[in-house]
Amino acid sequence: MSVEDWLADTRASYDTLAPAYADHVRDLLDQTPYERAILAVFAELARADGGGPVADVGCGPGRITAHLAGLGVDAFGIDLSPAMIEVARREHPALRFEVGSMTDLDLAEASLAGVVAWYSLIHIPDHEIGSVLARFHRALRPGSPLLIGFHVGDDVQLKTRGYGDHPINVQVHRRRPEQLATWLDETGFDVQAQMTLRSAESSLGGILVALRRPDAGPGKPEA
Ligand SMILES: C[S@@+](CC[C@H](N)C(=O)[O-])C[C@H]1O[C@@H](n2cnc3c(N)ncnc32)[C@H](O)[C@@H]1O
């Protein structure tokens, strides 16, 4: 499958699903205290050192963006699906949402105080992950946090029916936390926290928090 095929399939699928998906997840954080705790830690890290903009990449209907904004974070959302962005803008009119793909993220270097990818990297195939993480790394200020939520496992499922029984065509990549941690390390992140949990978000959810490693200066080896 080419890049264009899986991206186009993912976009079309979430365009179809957007209202049903938004209904499904709207109040999910009320049921997930561990996730709320992690989001609070992430918010604290992102607000440190003067704060700054935080990108919720693959924001869907914007519930995580809005939750972070409620924690005093200058959060904005980016999503591949125009229909998702339409829902996010309608549900959270005070916040900023843009259509865009994490495979083609065009954000100024070191401009962000944080990046969150909450159950969105699950749609990126292995061969594109390094390039996506490198884009996150470039956009983050050194020392700033990246938060990833994902399904734990080691298989790829093709989902052909979505919330509300809508026909879709989306690949879901379940990953071992150790594999993601290795990719993060290779891309220049220091992994700070790694956990798995069972909750309404996922039958086995994975969480990773990593900080962009400070750049090695000329002639200065990385710490
Ligand atoms: C499972 S939903 C999670 C949405 C949101 N983070 C949440 O937890 O409510 C996955 C989202 O990732 C988005 N997505 C998938 N591939 C993407 C890409 N390449 N760039 C940006 N967003 C993407 C989808 O459109 C969808 O909104």
Side-chain angles (χ1 to χ4, degrees):
M1 196 187 264
S2 73
V3 172
E4 290 72 25
D5 285 346
W6 59 260
L7 265 185
D9 281 350
T10 306
R11 181 188 295 114
S13 298
Y14 275 103
D15 276 350
T16 306
L17 281 185
Y21 182 82
D23 287 345
H24 178 74
V25 297
R26 190 168 292 109
D27 300 319
L28 211 51
L29 278 173
D30 295 345
Q31 305 165 43
T32 57
Y34 292 97
E35 279 88 345
R36 289 202 306 274
I38 282 292
L39 286 164
V41 171
F42 172 76
E44 187 178 324
L45 293 169
R47 286 193 316 255
D49 202 17
V54 168
D56 177 5
V57 182
C59 63
R63 69 191 172 110
I64 303 293
T65 328
H67 186 77
L68 290 172
L71 296 174
V73 171
D74 177 15
F76 66 98
I78 299 172
D79 200 279
L80 180 66
S81 154
M84 280 291 194
I85 291 297
E86 211 179 296
V87 173
R89 286 179 178 153
R90 194 168 55 239
E91 299 207 355
H92 311 288
L95 300 179
R96 195 155 50 93
F97 295 98
E98 300 297 336
V99 176
S101 175
M102 67 178 94
T103 54
D104 193 24
L105 209 56
D106 187 21
L107 294 165
E109 187 166 357
S111 60
L112 298 182
V115 170
V116 53
W118 197 252
Y119 291 92
S120 54
L121 278 177
I122 59 172
H123 299 305
I124 303 297
D126 286 3
H127 61 83
E128 284 286 325
I129 286 277
S131 138
V132 166
L133 293 180
R135 287 173 192 277
F136 292 171
H137 184 273
R138 180 179 181 279
L140 280 165
R141 296 198 304 240
S144 289
L146 167 64
L147 170 63
I148 302 175
F150 58 102
H151 296 297
V152 174
D154 49 17
D155 60 1
V156 186
Q157 296 173 341
L158 180 65
K159 285 189 78 173
T160 55
R161 292 272 155 190
Y163 301 98
D165 207 29
H166 292 286
I168 57 171
N169 195 29
V170 176
Q171 292 196 341
V172 177
H173 299 258
R174 297 197 300 176
R175 297 197 161 101
R176 285 179 295 110
E178 301 73 25
Q179 174 63 77
L180 263 176
T182 300
W183 283 329
L184 286 166
D185 179 61
E186 288 169 357
T187 319
F189 287 95
D190 287 328
V191 175
Q192 302 277 302
Q194 176 179 320
M195 67 180 72
T196 54
L197 44 91
R198 297 182 190 280
S199 78
E201 291 274 348
S202 173
S203 55
L204 189 55
I207 307 277
L208 281 165
V209 183
L211 304 184
R212 176 180 163 168
R213 198 176 292 144
D215 295 322
K220 192 172 116 198
E222 287 193 355

